[in-house]
Amino acid sequence: MSTLPQHALSTQDPDVYAAIQNEVDRQNDGLEMIASENFVSRAVLEAMGTPLTNKYAEGLPGKRYYGGCEHVDVVEDLARDRAKKLFGADWVNVQPHSGAQANAALYLKALEPGDKLLGLDLAHGGHLTHGSPVNFSGILYEAAFYGVEKDTGRIDMNKVRDKAHEVQPKMISIGASAYPRDFDYEAFRDIADEVDALLWMDMAHTAGLIAAEVMNDPMPYAHVVTTTTHKTLRGPRGGMMLVGNDIENPFGITARKSGRTKMLGEVLDSGVFPGTQGGPLMHVIAAKAVAFGEALQDDFTTYAQQIVDNAQALAEALIERDYNLVSGGTDNHLVLVDLRNKDLTGKQAEQALEAAGITTNKNMVPYDDKSPFVTSGIRLGTPALTTRGFGPDELRRVAALIDRVLADPSNEDVQQAVRSEVQALCDTFPLYDFATV
């Protein structure tokens, strides 16, 4: 068993220390296949655990409301400059604490309560913050949705166009949490222009794949892009906002000040602070800077392509075993499995696989007939396993292990046998060994 460094935590608070150690062991000894999770580098971990957490730095570099910010200014500028280079952006704000916070800042500045929003239905793979009735985005704004076709599992852009002309939204959102295909950003922009709507892309799941140019680039088409900084980007948990072409007064969402019209980025800055947040988390921003620096290296492109190659190998191996995949495969990092032909619920599959050392999440599938607490599917992702060094051969082996468990989901002997094989795979591709710190 690996051990954390014997620093103050182990003696001052052994209960917290033990919980952290148990989580380290869980990550080391299991197959992490939740599509929204990944493993950060040691450098990112180290940046997060620094005394930068002590510093209040409300405002922006060079324009702070507190003294003593000269060093954190350097850190935030590094993060902003690296993100601009990584995504080809004119403007970036790296302060959002999460993707949801970045989205909230955009809503605050782009819409008035009651304005109309058009986004991908959560039940068809969309995201909670894109208008779900249980989220602020669906409570404060009038949300309408487009979905995927029942026979193809893909978005029909003609139907999106029809829906946009019917709804006349002020903002159209793109992006998903469980859509295994790429997006046609040019077509979305054409539709947004036709109805005079702001076009927003939430690339939280695919940011790393977009940065590495293995998926389509939204920056030339979307007016605003938001993202998380973990998932495929492999940074710390946090958010970010970007503008590809920082223009004046788009769609009236900017405000006049001192006789001039603000640029879009300047207005969005105020949506983050003071609009929706107070002081930024400077230790997390330092970790973002480190992660963005890693993503600018050539080996990150290789890594991102491997994520997609692994997901496609996993998809092919599951199809060979008679699993129904939403849309018939994947263009990105995730596979969405409809288990109804296996007479299983997502809840049953998640629990059986976890007992075998394979961590997944139950997930709604399009046109699901079960509740979100049960679901008819599971979502599988490859970013974390790819970080460990898994390739297509290993993902095909993982597919076989998944099938062994789900073929007899209540068989504890099978679960234990698979867990032993999972442990052998994990030992071959080690993750964190804190004993060497």
Side-chain angles (χ1 to χ4, degrees), residues 48-75:
M48 289 190 71
T50 61
L52 293 183
T53 191
N54 299 331
K55 189 71 193 86
Y56 252 113
E58 290 180 351
L60 293 165
K63 297 171 62 178
R64 304 288 192 184
Y65 291 83
Y66 291 84
C69 291
E70 60 270 25
H71 305 303
V72 294
D73 279 1
V74 172
V75 167

Side-chain angles (χ1 to χ4, degrees), residues 268-404:
L268 295 176
D269 276 334
S270 68
V272 178
F273 172 82
T276 54
Q277 293 185 179
L281 308 177
M282 294 312 305
H283 59 304
V284 178
I285 290 175
K288 291 176 184 179
V290 173
F292 300 157
E294 292 173 352
L296 285 165
Q297 304 304 309
D298 290 342
D299 61 357
F300 188 84
T301 299
T302 304
Y303 162 71
Q305 184 62 59
Q306 191 68 68
I307 289 175
V308 176
D309 292 346
N310 283 348
Q312 291 175 347
L314 175 66
E316 291 166 2
L318 290 171
I319 290 170
E320 289 171 1
R321 291 167 172 80
D322 194 35
Y323 286 88
N324 288 337
L325 306 189
V326 173
S327 82
T330 182
D331 295 328
N332 56 29
H333 63 301
L334 66 85
V335 172
L336 187 58
V337 186
D338 186 334
L339 293 166
R340 285 177 286 197
N341 73 316
K342 298 290 187 178
D343 196 28
L344 281 173
T345 67
K347 183 177 180 179
Q348 289 171 325
E350 177 189 301
Q351 292 174 344
L353 289 169
E354 186 162 6
I358 303 172
T359 307
T360 67
N361 66 276
K362 59 182 177 291
N363 209 96
M364 298 281 283
V365 297
Y367 307 96
D368 208 325
D369 56 357
K370 297 181 177 62
S371 79
F373 298 102
V374 178
T375 80
S376 295
I378 53 171
R379 185 183 64 163
L380 305 173
T382 58
L385 294 187
T386 306
T387 293
R388 292 190 80 140
F390 282 43
D393 288 345
E394 286 75 32
L395 266 298
R396 284 187 278 269
R397 182 176 173 187
V398 169
L401 294 176
I402 290 171
D403 183 49
R404 280 176 60 191

Side-chain angles (χ1 to χ4, degrees), residues 36-48:
S36 54
E37 296 190 10
N38 208 335
F39 302 123
V40 301
S41 70
R42 294 282 289 274
V44 170
L45 284 176
E46 289 175 12
M48 289 190 71

Side-chain angles (χ1 to χ4, degrees), residues 351-358 405 414-416 418-420 422:
Q351 292 174 344
L353 289 169
E354 186 162 6
I358 303 172
V405 173
V414 170
Q415 292 167 5
Q416 289 306 307
V418 169
R419 178 174 278 278
S420 295
V422 165

